[in-house]
Amino acid sequence: MTVGVAILGSTGSIGRTTLEVLGRHRDRFHVVALTAGANAELLEEQARAWRPAYVGLANGAGGRCLIEAATRSDVRVVVNGIVGAAGLEATLAALRAGKRVALANKETLVIAGDLVMRAAREGGGEIVPVDSEHSAVLQCLAGRGTDEVARLILTASGGPFRTWSPERTAAATVAEALNHPTWRMGRKITVDSATLVNKALEVIEAHYLFGMRYDQVDVVVHPQSVVHAFVEFVDGSTLAQVSFPTMELPILYALTHPERVPDAGTRRLDPVAAGALTFEAVDPARFPAYGLGRAAGQAGGTAPAVFNAANEVAVERFLAGQLPFGRIAAVIEAALTQHPSAPADTLAAVLAADAEGRRLAREAAC
Ligand SMILES: NC(=O)c1ccc[n+]([C@@H]2O[C@H](COP(=O)([O-])OP(=O)(O)OC[C@H]3O[C@@H](n4cnc5c(N)ncnc54)[C@H](OP(=O)(O)O)[C@@H]3O)[C@@H](O)[C@H]2O)c1
């Protein structure tokens, strides 16, 4: 019997790569459900190729089809490749139904980390990260308890503006922000990589996934994107996970964890071809939104939900040509300043903070 997989966001970058990986592992997995946001044409093409039992188009229908796909009895693994807060309720439902969630949709953990971890505990579900940095941490931990860990160090490529002057970065165009030096990804995460918001989201994600305090999660800029994370253990030894940048490896590992299975599809690391690997500290002045995200994580409660919501609005506006790149951080800061953090212990509280963060950000972006 092969394992049934649901892919939420099958038309996106993570979704398409997941189908590529599954195509090489038909002896272990079969596709049960596919959902998309608005791209009906590609969804139809995928449905013809994979013949899943369930196909859902979320556009206009709210999140109902995501929950239906994620909680089917013939699904064991849910790959959540949705972008933004829209992925939250399906993650919660899947975990409550005892599924493994291969989680790319980091916004889910950022806005409702406590609720998500509780849903997993209560429902018997399991979260396995797809984000390459968190997959790297999981692989380095290899089952060791977090009490043996002193510190995590996540790497960041630094994005396309790492060496630009602040003035030039502030006026960067959409095409320049989407020109990521090492990764090919969806538009929103690519802009988040240019502001380093993506790394702030990942710090919060690591806090929840691995039970680390914020002062135990560091970030270092590593432009080659070959080392994905370091784990420093309490005895002073540090392990790293290394590969050429590809999402195929972390997706496959999230499907098969804790097992490793033979896979001929990804380019093997050749240290000589990888060349010199360099590391530098994050410059907080160059990436102001990164500091705002870390502070929101540390503040806790609804602050991360507001940070995320304001960022989603700011990025949407930037991509639509309505907000300069240099104002993204200011819009996030305005929303955070006006929203006093409150407890985030219910879904209603999280969704209200998300709505408020969006409202405040729209006001600030005018
Ligand atoms: N791409 C990567 O390499 C990468 C790496 C690490 C983590 N991640 C994370 O993975 C997630 C997905 O990223 P991505 O790059 O794959 O994004 P993407 O290419 O923009 O794909 C997003 C997917 O979500 C669907 N979608 C968007 N809004 C939706 C909604 N309201 N309801 C239901 N479905 C919706 C889209 O459907 P349509 O296109 O049909 O509208 C698409 O299938 C993000 O959280 C990102 O941070 C991505």
Side-chain angles (χ1 to χ4, degrees):
M1 256 299 261
T2 59
V3 171
V5 179
I7 306 177
L8 311 182
S10 64
T11 49
S13 164
I14 288 291
R16 283 179 276 119
T17 307
T18 301
L19 285 173
E20 266 172 50
V21 170
L22 290 176
R24 302 200 293 267
H25 295 278
R26 290 177 195 259
D27 55 329
R28 289 173 194 273
F29 301 100
H30 66 280
V31 175
V32 172
L34 297 174
T35 76
N39 191 343
E41 204 176 312
L42 179 56
L43 182 65
E44 200 183 324
E45 198 181 297
Q46 292 175 337
R48 265 200 303 274
W50 289 89
R51 302 251 157 235
Y54 184 96
V55 177
L57 193 65
N59 198 13
R64 198 167 38 81
C65 77
L66 306 177
I67 293 175
E68 279 174 10
T71 55
R72 288 176 60 94
S73 60
D74 48 359
V75 166
R76 281 241 299 278
V77 180
V78 176
V79 178
N80 188 341
I82 292 174
V83 61
L88 171 62
E89 287 173 65
T91 299
L92 289 172
L95 292 171
R96 286 193 191 113
K99 313 293 184 192
R100 167 177 293 194
V101 177
L103 188 69
N105 178 231
K106 63 193 87 185
E107 294 90 347
T108 274
L109 269 173
V110 168
I111 68 179
D114 287 327
L115 292 182
V116 171
M117 300 314 283
R118 196 197 307 157
R121 276 196 307 276
E122 291 176 358
E126 175 193 21
I127 306 167
V128 186
V130 165
D131 239 341
S132 55
E133 297 78 359
H134 304 74
S135 175
V137 170
L138 187 68
Q139 293 179 56
C140 292
L141 285 175
R144 297 207 163 273
T146 45
D147 54 339
E148 290 179 56
V149 176
R151 183 166 69 122
L152 308 180
I153 307 171
L154 310 179
T155 60
S157 70
F161 308 139
R162 184 177 62 88
T163 57
W164 287 28
S165 72
E167 297 71 32
R168 188 172 165 214
T169 303
T173 65
V174 170
E176 287 166 337
L178 292 179
N179 185 25
H180 195 281
T182 50
W183 294 98
R184 290 287 157 263
M185 311 179 284
R187 287 156 63 88
K188 191 254 179 188
I189 185 177
T190 305
V191 176
D192 287 352
S193 300
T195 55
L196 240 68
V197 161
N198 184 48
K199 218 42 63 175
L201 297 175
E202 289 179 3
V203 168
I204 300 172
E205 184 185 4
H207 162 78
Y208 284 111
L209 276 178
F210 303 113
M212 291 284 123
R213 296 187 315 269
Y214 283 99
D215 64 0
Q216 290 178 293
V217 188
D218 284 343
V219 170
V220 66
V221 174
H222 167 47
Q224 298 82 20
S225 302
V226 169
V227 177
H228 302 294
F230 300 90
V231 177
E232 181 190 312
F233 290 91
V234 286
D235 61 1
S237 179
T238 300
L239 298 186
Q241 189 267 334
V242 188
S243 68
F244 286 124
T246 170
M247 287 312 293
E248 295 186 24
L249 264 180
I251 289 170
L252 178 62
Y253 190 69
L255 293 167
T256 65
H257 167 80
E259 250 186 277
R260 290 186 185 276
V261 302
D263 183 67
T266 54
R267 184 178 166 210
R268 301 293 158 123
L269 184 81
D270 172 351
V272 176
L277 302 182
T278 59
F279 301 92
E280 47 195 76
V282 176
D283 176 357
R286 190 180 282 280
F287 300 109
Y290 167 72
L292 293 171
R294 278 198 81 110
Q298 218 131 19
T302 51
V306 172
F307 170 75
N308 177 70
N311 178 59
E312 285 192 29
V313 168
V315 171
E316 216 175 271
R317 291 280 161 103
F318 167 67
L319 286 171
Q322 296 163 356
L323 187 78
F325 185 86
R327 287 209 53 227
I328 293 177
V331 167
I332 299 171
E333 187 169 22
L336 281 168
T337 309
Q338 289 173 68
H339 174 89
S341 181
D345 46 4
T346 63
L347 182 59
V350 168
L351 295 179
D354 177 80
E356 180 67 355
R358 283 169 204 274
R359 190 186 67 74
L360 292 167
R362 278 190 206 106
E363 250 175 47
C366 280

